[in-house]
Amino acid sequence: MTEDNKPFVKIIIAAHKKYQMPQDSMYLPVHVGAAGKLGKDGKPLDIGYVKDNTGQNISDKNSEFSELTGLYWAWKNVDAANLGLAHYRRHFSFRKKSSDPFENVLTSKEASRLLHQYKVIVPKKRNYVIETLYSHYAHTHYAEHLDITRKIIAQKYPDYVQDFDQVMEHREGYMFNMFIMRRDLVDAYCQWLFDILFELEKQIGPKTAKMDNFQKRLYGRVSEIAFNVWLRHEVRTGVLKASDIKEVRCIYMEPIDWGRKISSFIKAKFFGQKYDKSF
């Protein structure tokens, strides 16, 4: 706890179903997309977690905003000195201690120690090797999403355009919308991000009716790249130093189907076949 009795760090775990969770009290499982979800008995679905349709929320946007409805809920409703986001099947890990992935999940002691040295904790960058962030998104989703995002940033936050253009040329970046940051940084980031995404929703919204359920989740995907834009800008302008940012491992709680993942990547890049499911 901090001096004013607020938690020093709280990490929400975005989940849409019941799943094994870390027992550390630092973690707060959140049922994302809880709005309108019914159980077999016809009553509001209850999976035992805090619901993202309480307090100030955008839970009803979950089918297109994905885990961002959890981030928005945490931003508006969780009071902690440091705030973070993880997923039910993806977690931060500082060191490997066991063959059981849950034994390797970042602990509150480890997080506290890191946050006394760094202001931002992020997962290690994902490297696309033969793709830029822009070309990979264009092949697997739709380039228009990023093109319109750039126009919105140019209108609302013109000083970020050069950061956007640089990030689009990168072959690696921080993915999954995972981070742990000091509260004031979370406030600044979320204000910037959701202002852009809500405008993007106004401009693209009608077109999502023609997309399959997987491609509709575009705002969550755009935000993965947008986080890199925001972070680069904060470093470039001196709000953060590169030394304020700490990369740690991201571990998966389930096996990855690398065969299907690689096959889908090749089909998207060379044959124009868009992704239709997660891996």
Side-chain angles (χ1 to χ4, degrees):
M1 292 288 184
T2 59
E3 291 183 1
D4 55 2
N5 292 321
K6 70 173 62 174
F8 180 68
V9 56
K10 208 71 178 175
I11 301 175
I12 69 159
I13 302 175
H16 66 274
K17 63 181 181 180
K18 191 76 173 178
Y19 201 80
Q20 183 177 349
M21 293 288 173
Q23 296 304 300
D24 195 307
S25 61
M26 169 178 70
Y27 291 102
L28 177 63
V30 175
H31 179 188
V32 295
K37 296 295 191 305
L38 301 177
K40 294 180 179 180
D41 58 1
K43 297 179 179 179
L45 180 64
D46 186 358
I47 59 175
Y49 306 147
V50 172
K51 297 182 178 184
D52 73 347
N53 64 339
T54 58
Q56 294 187 61
N57 72 86
I58 56 169
S59 180
D60 59 351
K61 296 182 185 291
N62 180 259
S63 62
E64 297 179 353
F65 278 68
S66 298
E67 65 274 358
L68 293 185
T69 63
L71 174 60
Y72 187 94
W73 179 87
W75 173 38
K76 295 295 187 180
N77 299 286
V78 176
D79 190 16
N82 296 272
L83 193 60
L85 169 68
H87 300 256
Y88 73 94
R89 61 192 183 102
R90 295 191 192 99
H91 285 279
F92 288 105
S93 176
F94 189 56
R95 59 174 61 89
K96 184 174 182 179
K97 315 174 192 108
S98 166
S99 58
D100 178 356
F102 281 94
E103 293 293 323
N104 301 323
V105 172
L106 185 75
T107 67
S108 54
K109 288 184 178 179
E110 292 168 339
S112 179
R113 187 164 62 250
L114 289 171
L115 288 165
H116 278 97
Q117 301 177 58
Y118 307 97
K119 296 177 182 178
V120 180
I121 297 174
V122 287
K124 289 186 180 296
K125 289 180 178 179
R126 169 173 279 192
N127 195 322
Y128 292 99
V129 187
I130 61 173
E131 293 265 47
T132 64
L133 294 186
Y134 182 89
S135 68
H136 181 261
Y137 192 99
H139 288 139
T140 56
H141 307 296
Y142 297 93
E144 179 187 27
H145 304 163
L146 297 180
D147 297 339
I148 295 175
T149 299
R150 186 188 188 281
K151 291 179 181 178
I152 293 170
I153 290 174
Q155 294 168 354
K156 288 177 170 285
Y157 303 97
D159 192 43
Y160 287 75
V161 171
Q162 64 175 291
D163 305 289
F164 182 94
D165 290 342
Q166 285 292 317
V167 166
M168 292 304 105
E169 295 177 2
H170 292 174
R171 296 182 183 273
E172 58 183 16
Y174 303 120
M175 296 291 114
F176 314 128
N177 288 313
M178 290 174 63
F179 63 77
I180 311 169
M181 293 195 291
R182 207 173 62 189
R183 180 66 202 221
D184 61 313
L185 295 172
V186 174
D187 288 341
Y189 172 59
C190 286
Q191 183 64 49
W192 178 86
L193 175 69
F194 287 106
D195 187 34
I196 292 168
L197 293 183
F198 291 156
E199 180 59 33
L200 182 64
E201 182 185 28
K202 290 178 184 177
Q203 297 190 31
I204 289 185
K207 298 180 181 180
T208 61
K210 298 180 180 180
M211 298 179 188
D212 61 36
N213 289 335
F214 182 76
Q215 289 294 339
K216 280 183 180 179
R217 292 155 55 183
L218 67 101
Y219 305 105
R221 297 191 184 96
V222 168
S223 67
E224 291 183 90
I225 296 178
F227 178 68
N228 291 269
V229 174
W230 178 83
L231 199 58
R232 184 184 189 280
H233 179 272
E234 304 313 287
V235 173
R236 180 175 64 80
T237 58
V239 175
L240 291 169
K241 300 175 183 176
S243 58
D244 289 329
I245 302 168
K246 176 64 175 177
E247 295 183 10
V248 300
R249 290 193 310 148
C250 172
I251 58 173
Y252 289 76
M253 318 318 285
E254 300 173 353
I256 300 173
D257 187 344
W258 285 107
R260 184 165 65 84
K261 188 177 182 70
I262 294 171
S263 173
S264 296
F265 178 85
I266 292 172
K267 290 177 182 178
K269 180 173 177 59
F270 298 106
F271 302 103
Q273 185 173 318
K274 305 295 186 184
Y275 283 2
D276 62 0
K277 61 180 67 176
S278 298
F279 303 102

